[in-house]
Protein backbone atom coordinates (compact mmCIF):
# COMPACT_ATOMS: atom_id res chain seq x y z
CA UNK A 1 0.00 0.00 0.00
CA UNK A 2 1.52 3.36 -1.01
CA UNK A 3 2.59 5.71 1.76
CA UNK A 4 0.15 8.53 2.45
CA UNK A 5 1.50 11.89 1.33
CA UNK A 6 2.26 14.18 4.28
CA UNK A 7 0.33 17.26 3.24
CA UNK A 8 0.58 19.09 6.55
CA UNK A 9 4.36 18.87 6.58
CA UNK A 10 4.86 20.19 3.05
CA UNK A 11 2.34 22.98 3.65
CA UNK A 12 4.32 24.10 6.71
CA UNK A 13 7.53 24.10 4.66
CA UNK A 14 5.76 25.95 1.84
CA UNK A 15 4.59 28.70 4.20
CA UNK A 16 8.05 29.00 5.71
CA UNK A 17 9.74 29.26 2.31
CA UNK A 18 7.07 31.73 1.15
CA UNK A 19 7.97 34.15 3.93
CA UNK A 20 11.67 33.44 3.42
CA UNK A 21 11.30 34.92 -0.06
CA UNK A 22 8.64 37.51 0.72
CA UNK A 23 10.61 39.02 3.62
CA UNK A 24 13.54 39.44 1.24
CA UNK A 25 11.50 41.27 -1.37
CA UNK A 26 9.25 43.57 0.67
CA UNK A 27 12.19 45.88 1.32
CA UNK A 28 12.68 46.37 -2.42
CA UNK A 29 8.93 46.91 -2.93
CA UNK A 30 8.86 49.61 -0.25
CA UNK A 31 12.12 51.18 -1.41
CA UNK A 32 10.64 54.45 -2.78
CA UNK A 33 8.67 55.07 0.42
CA UNK A 34 11.62 54.24 2.67
CA UNK A 35 13.85 56.51 0.64
CA UNK A 36 11.46 59.43 0.97
CA UNK A 37 10.54 58.92 4.61
CA UNK A 38 14.06 58.40 5.97
CA UNK A 39 15.71 60.75 3.44
CA UNK A 40 18.19 58.16 2.21
CA UNK A 41 20.31 58.38 -0.91
CA UNK A 42 20.30 55.82 -3.71
CA UNK A 43 23.80 54.75 -2.71
CA UNK A 44 22.69 54.15 0.88
CA UNK A 45 19.75 52.06 -0.30
CA UNK A 46 22.03 50.08 -2.58
CA UNK A 47 24.47 49.51 0.27
CA UNK A 48 21.69 48.13 2.50
CA UNK A 49 20.70 45.63 -0.19
CA UNK A 50 24.33 44.72 -0.85
CA UNK A 51 24.98 43.96 2.81
CA UNK A 52 21.82 41.83 2.90
CA UNK A 53 23.02 39.70 -0.01
CA UNK A 54 26.60 39.40 1.21
CA UNK A 55 25.33 38.09 4.56
CA UNK A 56 23.50 35.29 2.76
CA UNK A 57 26.66 34.41 0.85
CA UNK A 58 28.89 34.45 3.93
CA UNK A 59 26.55 32.38 6.11
CA UNK A 60 25.47 29.73 3.55
CA UNK A 61 28.54 27.48 4.09
CA UNK A 62 28.12 27.70 7.87
CA UNK A 63 24.41 26.97 7.45
CA UNK A 64 25.16 23.72 5.65
CA UNK A 65 27.45 22.60 8.48
CA UNK A 66 24.99 23.62 11.22
CA UNK A 67 22.21 21.76 9.41
CA UNK A 68 24.24 18.57 9.79
CA UNK A 69 25.40 19.31 13.32
CA UNK A 70 22.01 20.02 14.94
CA UNK A 71 18.47 18.75 14.56
CA UNK A 72 17.20 20.10 11.24
CA UNK A 73 13.81 21.09 12.63
CA UNK A 74 15.55 23.23 15.25
CA UNK A 75 17.62 24.99 12.59
CA UNK A 76 14.57 25.62 10.37
CA UNK A 77 12.27 27.02 13.06
CA UNK A 78 14.87 29.23 14.73
CA UNK A 79 15.98 30.55 11.35
CA UNK A 80 12.33 31.47 10.77
CA UNK A 81 12.04 33.12 14.20
CA UNK A 82 15.16 35.26 13.82
CA UNK A 83 14.43 36.56 10.32
CA UNK A 84 10.76 37.19 11.20
CA UNK A 85 11.66 39.09 14.38
CA UNK A 86 14.23 41.17 12.50
CA UNK A 87 11.66 41.86 9.77
CA UNK A 88 9.13 42.99 12.39
CA UNK A 89 11.70 45.26 14.06
CA UNK A 90 12.58 46.80 10.67
CA UNK A 91 9.27 48.66 10.93
CA UNK A 92 10.69 50.60 13.90
CA UNK A 93 13.77 51.74 11.96
CA UNK A 94 14.39 55.47 11.96
CA UNK A 95 17.61 55.67 9.98
CA UNK A 96 20.27 54.10 7.80
CA UNK A 97 22.24 52.24 10.51
CA UNK A 98 19.19 50.45 11.91
CA UNK A 99 18.21 49.26 8.44
CA UNK A 100 21.74 48.01 7.77
CA UNK A 101 21.83 45.97 10.99
CA UNK A 102 18.33 44.52 10.73
CA UNK A 103 18.56 43.61 7.04
CA UNK A 104 21.92 41.96 7.74
CA UNK A 105 20.26 39.86 10.46
CA UNK A 106 17.42 38.93 8.07
CA UNK A 107 19.88 37.88 5.35
CA UNK A 108 22.18 35.95 7.65
CA UNK A 109 19.36 34.04 9.35
CA UNK A 110 17.55 33.28 6.08
CA UNK A 111 20.71 31.58 4.83
CA UNK A 112 20.18 28.83 7.41
CA UNK A 113 16.75 27.82 6.08
CA UNK A 114 17.43 26.19 2.70
CA UNK A 115 20.18 23.64 3.58
CA UNK A 116 18.29 22.24 6.59
CA UNK A 117 14.84 22.47 5.01
CA UNK A 118 15.82 20.72 1.77
CA UNK A 119 17.57 17.96 3.72
CA UNK A 120 14.53 17.55 5.98
CA UNK A 121 12.19 17.34 2.99
CA UNK A 122 14.50 14.70 1.54
CA UNK A 123 14.20 12.66 4.73
CA UNK A 124 10.41 12.88 4.92
CA UNK A 125 9.50 12.36 1.25
CA UNK A 126 11.84 9.64 0.03
CA UNK A 127 9.22 8.09 -2.28
CA UNK A 128 7.61 11.36 -3.45
CA UNK A 129 10.59 13.72 -3.34
CA UNK A 130 10.10 15.23 -6.81
CA UNK A 131 6.48 16.08 -6.08
CA UNK A 132 7.31 17.51 -2.65
CA UNK A 133 10.19 19.62 -3.99
CA UNK A 134 8.02 20.95 -6.81
CA UNK A 135 5.37 22.10 -4.35
CA UNK A 136 8.05 23.66 -2.15
CA UNK A 137 9.62 25.51 -5.09
CA UNK A 138 6.36 27.24 -6.01
CA UNK A 139 6.63 29.17 -2.73
CA UNK A 140 9.65 31.02 -4.15
CA UNK A 141 7.75 32.36 -7.15
CA UNK A 142 4.57 33.17 -5.24
CA UNK A 143 6.51 34.66 -2.34
CA UNK A 144 8.14 37.18 -4.65
CA UNK A 145 5.02 37.86 -6.74
CA UNK A 146 2.58 38.29 -3.84
CA UNK A 147 5.03 40.33 -1.79
CA UNK A 148 5.07 42.72 -4.75
CA UNK A 149 1.29 42.93 -4.97
CA UNK A 150 0.15 42.68 -1.35
CA UNK A 151 3.22 44.36 0.05
CA UNK A 152 2.99 47.24 -2.40
CA UNK A 153 -0.68 47.85 -1.63
CA UNK A 154 -0.22 47.72 2.16
CA UNK A 155 2.86 49.93 2.09
CA UNK A 156 1.15 52.49 -0.13
CA UNK A 157 -2.11 52.47 1.83
CA UNK A 158 -0.94 52.17 5.42
CA UNK A 159 2.72 53.19 5.25
CA UNK A 160 5.91 51.24 4.62
CA UNK A 161 6.36 50.29 8.28
CA UNK A 162 3.09 48.36 8.32
CA UNK A 163 4.29 45.83 5.77
CA UNK A 164 7.20 44.83 8.01
CA UNK A 165 4.95 44.58 11.07
CA UNK A 166 2.54 42.34 9.17
CA UNK A 167 4.97 40.00 7.46
CA UNK A 168 7.24 39.76 10.51
CA UNK A 169 4.30 39.15 12.82
CA UNK A 170 2.91 36.36 10.66
CA UNK A 171 6.36 34.76 10.57
CA UNK A 172 6.56 34.75 14.38
CA UNK A 173 3.12 33.11 14.56
CA UNK A 174 4.26 30.54 12.00
CA UNK A 175 7.30 29.81 14.18
CA UNK A 176 5.02 28.86 17.07
CA UNK A 177 2.89 26.69 14.80
CA UNK A 178 5.89 24.87 13.34
CA UNK A 179 7.35 24.22 16.80
CA UNK A 180 4.24 22.23 17.66
CA UNK A 181 3.32 20.68 14.31
CA UNK A 182 6.55 20.02 12.39
CA UNK A 183 8.05 16.60 13.04
CA UNK A 184 11.75 16.57 13.97
CA UNK A 185 14.34 15.19 11.61
CA UNK A 186 16.81 12.38 12.13
CA UNK A 187 19.87 12.86 14.29
CA UNK A 188 23.11 11.75 12.65
CA UNK A 189 26.47 11.13 14.22
CA UNK A 190 29.16 13.35 12.82
CA UNK A 191 31.94 11.59 11.00
CA UNK A 192 35.58 12.39 11.82
CA UNK A 193 36.81 15.30 9.76
CA UNK A 194 33.34 16.72 9.12
CA UNK A 195 34.52 20.09 10.37
CA UNK A 196 36.47 20.61 7.17
CA UNK A 197 33.83 19.46 4.67
CA UNK A 198 33.30 23.01 3.45
CA UNK A 199 37.03 23.58 2.93
CA UNK A 200 37.23 20.36 0.93
CA UNK A 201 34.41 21.70 -1.25
CA UNK A 202 36.16 25.03 -1.72
CA UNK A 203 39.41 23.33 -2.62
CA UNK A 204 37.77 20.98 -5.11
CA UNK A 205 35.78 23.80 -6.68
CA UNK A 206 38.92 25.83 -7.30
CA UNK A 207 40.73 22.85 -8.87
CA UNK A 208 37.85 21.71 -11.08
CA UNK A 209 37.90 23.95 -14.14
CA UNK A 210 34.37 23.11 -15.28
CA UNK A 211 32.90 23.70 -11.82
CA UNK A 212 34.83 26.95 -11.55
CA UNK A 213 33.55 28.21 -14.91
CA UNK A 214 29.99 27.24 -13.90
CA UNK A 215 30.46 29.17 -10.66
CA UNK A 216 31.60 32.29 -12.53
CA UNK A 217 28.59 31.99 -14.85
CA UNK A 218 26.27 31.46 -11.86
CA UNK A 219 27.78 34.55 -10.24
CA UNK A 220 26.92 36.58 -13.36
CA UNK A 221 23.32 35.37 -13.19
CA UNK A 222 23.02 36.11 -9.46
CA UNK A 223 24.46 39.61 -9.98
CA UNK A 224 21.81 40.31 -12.62
CA UNK A 225 19.03 38.81 -10.51
CA UNK A 226 19.95 40.79 -7.39
CA UNK A 227 20.19 44.02 -9.38
CA UNK A 228 16.84 43.32 -11.04
CA UNK A 229 15.05 42.47 -7.77
CA UNK A 230 16.45 45.50 -5.97
CA UNK A 231 15.91 48.27 -8.51
CA UNK A 232 13.15 47.30 -10.93
CA UNK A 233 10.24 48.37 -8.65
CA UNK A 234 11.81 51.82 -8.22
CA UNK A 235 12.64 51.93 -11.95
CA UNK A 236 8.98 51.42 -12.91
CA UNK A 237 7.83 53.85 -10.24
CA UNK A 238 10.14 56.64 -11.40
CA UNK A 239 10.24 56.12 -15.17
CA UNK A 240 6.59 55.22 -15.79
CA UNK A 241 5.01 56.93 -12.77
CA UNK A 242 3.48 53.68 -11.58
CA UNK A 243 2.09 53.47 -8.07
CA UNK A 244 4.02 51.47 -5.49
CA UNK A 245 1.44 48.69 -5.76
CA UNK A 246 1.50 48.57 -9.56
CA UNK A 247 5.29 48.74 -9.75
CA UNK A 248 5.61 45.98 -7.15
CA UNK A 249 3.27 43.73 -9.13
CA UNK A 250 4.63 44.47 -12.60
CA UNK A 251 8.28 44.12 -11.67
CA UNK A 252 7.79 40.69 -10.08
CA UNK A 253 4.81 39.00 -11.76
CA UNK A 254 5.77 38.85 -15.44
CA UNK A 255 9.31 37.68 -14.79
CA UNK A 256 8.52 34.93 -12.29
CA UNK A 257 5.36 33.75 -14.02
CA UNK A 258 7.28 33.01 -17.21
CA UNK A 259 10.32 31.71 -15.30
CA UNK A 260 8.08 28.92 -13.98
CA UNK A 261 7.29 27.77 -17.52
CA UNK A 262 10.90 28.17 -18.62
CA UNK A 263 12.28 25.99 -15.86
CA UNK A 264 9.65 23.27 -16.38
CA UNK A 265 10.11 23.18 -20.16
CA UNK A 266 13.90 23.25 -20.14
CA UNK A 267 14.05 20.70 -17.34
CA UNK A 268 12.10 18.16 -19.38
CA UNK A 269 13.95 18.85 -22.65
CA UNK A 270 17.42 18.92 -21.13
CA UNK A 271 16.80 15.56 -19.44
CA UNK A 272 16.07 14.04 -22.86
CA UNK A 273 19.15 15.53 -24.49
CA UNK A 274 21.35 14.67 -21.49
CA UNK A 275 20.64 10.99 -22.06
CA UNK A 276 22.80 11.31 -25.18
CA UNK A 277 25.45 13.52 -23.62
CA UNK A 278 25.21 15.43 -20.33
CA UNK A 279 27.11 18.36 -21.86
CA UNK A 280 23.78 19.46 -23.35
CA UNK A 281 22.83 20.72 -19.88
CA UNK A 282 25.54 23.36 -20.22
CA UNK A 283 24.33 24.29 -23.68
CA UNK A 284 20.81 24.78 -22.34
CA UNK A 285 22.15 27.08 -19.63
CA UNK A 286 24.29 29.03 -22.08
CA UNK A 287 21.32 29.38 -24.44
CA UNK A 288 19.15 30.71 -21.62
CA UNK A 289 21.68 33.45 -20.82
CA UNK A 290 22.29 34.28 -24.48
CA UNK A 291 18.59 34.63 -25.34
CA UNK A 292 17.79 36.43 -22.10
CA UNK A 293 20.40 39.19 -22.59
CA UNK A 294 18.56 41.21 -25.33
CA UNK A 295 15.41 41.34 -23.21
CA UNK A 296 17.30 42.70 -20.20
CA UNK A 297 18.59 45.46 -22.47
CA UNK A 298 15.04 46.06 -23.74
CA UNK A 299 13.70 46.52 -20.19
CA UNK A 300 16.00 49.43 -19.48
CA UNK A 301 15.92 51.12 -22.86
CA UNK A 302 12.25 50.87 -23.80
CA UNK A 303 10.00 53.92 -23.45
CA UNK A 304 6.87 51.80 -23.87
CA UNK A 305 5.60 50.06 -20.74
CA UNK A 306 4.19 47.14 -22.73
CA UNK A 307 7.59 46.48 -24.26
CA UNK A 308 8.99 46.51 -20.74
CA UNK A 309 6.43 43.89 -19.72
CA UNK A 310 7.40 41.83 -22.76
CA UNK A 311 11.06 42.17 -21.85
CA UNK A 312 10.38 41.11 -18.26
CA UNK A 313 8.42 38.09 -19.48
CA UNK A 314 11.08 36.85 -21.90
CA UNK A 315 13.86 37.62 -19.43
CA UNK A 316 11.99 35.40 -16.96
CA UNK A 317 11.38 32.64 -19.50
CA UNK A 318 15.05 32.32 -20.40
CA UNK A 319 16.16 32.77 -16.80
CA UNK A 320 14.06 29.64 -16.13
CA UNK A 321 15.86 27.83 -18.95
CA UNK A 322 19.16 28.60 -17.24
CA UNK A 323 17.90 27.72 -13.75
CA UNK A 324 16.76 24.26 -14.81
CA UNK A 325 20.28 22.79 -14.78
CA UNK A 326 22.33 24.80 -12.27
CA UNK A 327 22.95 21.92 -9.89
CA UNK A 328 22.49 19.08 -12.37
CA UNK A 329 25.41 20.47 -14.39
CA UNK A 330 27.58 21.03 -11.32
CA UNK A 331 26.91 17.60 -9.86
CA UNK A 332 27.91 15.88 -13.10
CA UNK A 333 31.55 16.98 -12.75
CA UNK A 334 32.21 16.44 -9.02
CA UNK A 335 32.29 13.47 -6.68
CA UNK A 336 28.87 12.79 -5.15
CA UNK A 337 30.28 12.83 -1.61
CA UNK A 338 31.12 16.52 -1.88
CA UNK A 339 28.00 17.75 -3.71
CA UNK A 340 26.77 19.81 -0.75
CA UNK A 341 30.09 21.41 0.15
CA UNK A 342 30.96 22.32 -3.45
CA UNK A 343 27.46 23.72 -4.03
CA UNK A 344 27.80 25.76 -0.83
CA UNK A 345 31.11 27.18 -2.05
CA UNK A 346 29.53 28.04 -5.41
CA UNK A 347 26.62 29.83 -3.71
CA UNK A 348 29.00 31.72 -1.44
CA UNK A 349 31.04 33.08 -4.36
CA UNK A 350 27.90 33.97 -6.34
CA UNK A 351 26.16 35.82 -3.54
CA UNK A 352 29.23 37.74 -2.47
CA UNK A 353 29.71 38.87 -6.08
CA UNK A 354 25.97 39.49 -6.47
CA UNK A 355 26.00 41.69 -3.38
CA UNK A 356 27.84 44.31 -5.44
CA UNK A 357 24.86 44.71 -7.81
CA UNK A 358 22.67 47.06 -5.72
CA UNK A 359 25.50 49.49 -5.00
CA UNK A 360 26.78 49.24 -8.60
CA UNK A 361 23.37 50.13 -10.03
CA UNK A 362 22.96 52.90 -7.48
CA UNK A 363 26.24 54.39 -8.69
CA UNK A 364 25.22 54.00 -12.34
CA UNK A 365 21.84 55.57 -11.53
CA UNK A 366 23.57 58.75 -10.48
CA UNK A 367 26.01 58.71 -13.39
CA UNK A 368 24.04 57.55 -16.45
CA UNK A 369 20.53 56.84 -15.16
CA UNK A 370 18.78 53.71 -13.92
CA UNK A 371 17.58 52.80 -17.43
CA UNK A 372 21.13 52.43 -18.68
CA UNK A 373 22.12 50.71 -15.45
CA UNK A 374 19.48 47.99 -15.86
CA UNK A 375 20.28 47.54 -19.56
CA UNK A 376 23.97 47.13 -18.73
CA UNK A 377 23.13 43.98 -16.78
CA UNK A 378 22.72 42.24 -20.14
CA UNK A 379 26.52 42.27 -20.46
CA UNK A 380 26.77 39.95 -17.44
CA UNK A 381 24.38 37.48 -19.08
CA UNK A 382 26.56 37.45 -22.20
CA UNK A 383 29.68 36.91 -20.07
CA UNK A 384 28.00 34.00 -18.33
CA UNK A 385 27.04 32.50 -21.69
CA UNK A 386 30.65 32.67 -22.91
CA UNK A 387 31.95 31.03 -19.71
CA UNK A 388 29.52 28.12 -20.04
CA UNK A 389 30.38 27.69 -23.73
CA UNK A 390 34.10 27.52 -22.84
CA UNK A 391 33.35 24.89 -20.20
CA UNK A 392 31.25 22.84 -22.62
CA UNK A 393 33.86 23.00 -25.38
CA UNK A 394 37.15 22.65 -23.53
CA UNK A 395 36.86 21.33 -19.96
CA UNK A 396 33.59 19.50 -19.39
CA UNK A 397 34.39 16.11 -20.90
CA UNK A 398 37.62 15.96 -18.89
CA UNK A 399 35.76 16.58 -15.63
CA UNK A 400 32.49 14.75 -16.22
CA UNK A 401 33.92 11.43 -15.02
CA UNK A 402 35.33 12.96 -11.88
CA UNK A 403 36.25 9.73 -10.13
CA UNK A 404 36.71 8.57 -6.58
CA UNK A 405 40.44 8.26 -7.22
CA UNK A 406 40.64 11.86 -8.42
CA UNK A 407 38.84 13.04 -5.30
CA UNK A 408 41.10 11.10 -2.95
CA UNK A 409 44.22 12.21 -4.80
CA UNK A 410 43.57 15.92 -4.24
Amino acid sequence: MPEKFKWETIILFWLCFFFNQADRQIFNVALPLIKEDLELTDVQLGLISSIFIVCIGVFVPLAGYVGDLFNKKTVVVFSLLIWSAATFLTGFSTGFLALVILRAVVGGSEAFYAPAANALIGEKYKNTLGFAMSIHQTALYLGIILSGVVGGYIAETYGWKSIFYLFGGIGIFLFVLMCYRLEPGKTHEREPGSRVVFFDGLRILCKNRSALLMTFAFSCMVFVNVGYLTWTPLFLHEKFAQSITEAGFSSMFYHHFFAFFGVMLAGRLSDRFARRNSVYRLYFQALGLLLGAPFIFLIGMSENIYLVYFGLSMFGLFRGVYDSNIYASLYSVIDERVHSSVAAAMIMFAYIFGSLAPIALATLKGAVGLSMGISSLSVLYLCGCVLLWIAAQFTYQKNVLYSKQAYLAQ
Side-chain angles (χ1 to χ4, degrees), residues 17-34:
F17 195 33
F18 175 92
F19 284 100
N20 178 279
Q21 296 300 309
D23 288 357
R24 293 185 186 190
Q25 189 57 24
I26 55 175
F27 180 80
N28 299 328
V29 172
L31 210 61
L33 298 175
I34 295 173

Side-chain angles (χ1 to χ4, degrees), residues 211-230:
L212 201 57
L213 287 166
M214 293 178 202
T215 297
F216 292 152
F218 182 55
S219 299
C220 290
M221 190 281 291
V222 170
F223 188 99
V224 172
N225 193 50
V226 171
Y228 149 73
L229 289 173
T230 303

Side-chain angles (χ1 to χ4, degrees), residues 332-337 398-410:
S332 65
V333 297
I334 59 175
D335 188 277
E336 64 180 2
R337 293 169 297 166
K398 296 177 183 179
N399 295 133
V400 72
L401 298 177
Y402 193 75
S403 65
K404 176 180 178 180
Q405 290 75 20
Y407 167 63
L408 293 175
Q410 292 191 46

Side-chain angles (χ1 to χ4, degrees), residues 95-109:
F96 172 70
L97 182 59
L99 286 175
V100 167
I101 294 172
L102 289 168
R103 291 302 288 174
V105 173
V106 172
S109 56

Side-chain angles (χ1 to χ4, degrees), residues 316-331:
L317 179 71
F318 294 116
R319 179 259 181 97
V321 171
Y322 169 82
D323 283 352
S324 64
N325 283 286
I326 293 173
Y327 296 103
S329 296
L330 178 69
Y331 291 163

Side-chain angles (χ1 to χ4, degrees), residues 48-114:
I48 294 169
S49 295
S50 292
I51 291 173
F52 173 84
I53 297 299
V54 85
C55 284
I56 295 177
V58 168
F59 281 99
V60 158
L62 177 62
Y65 174 71
V66 169
D68 288 332
L69 184 63
F70 298 101
N71 184 282
K72 294 177 178 62
K73 172 186 173 179
T74 302
V75 176
V76 167
V77 296
F78 277 97
S79 171
L80 169 63
L81 175 63
I82 294 170
W83 91 59
S84 297
T87 298
F88 183 83
L89 292 174
T90 301
F92 294 94
S93 300
T94 57
F96 172 70
L97 182 59
L99 286 175
V100 167
I101 294 172
L102 289 168
R103 291 302 288 174
V105 173
V106 172
S109 56
E110 284 191 347
F112 284 80
Y113 171 76

Side-chain angles (χ1 to χ4, degrees), residues 20 76 83 135 193 207 214 259 272-273 308 311-312 335 340 403 406:
N20 178 279
V76 167
W83 91 59
I135 295 173
K207 289 186 176 182
M214 293 178 202
R272 293 182 181 180
F273 280 89
V308 173
L312 285 168
D335 188 277
S340 295
S403 65

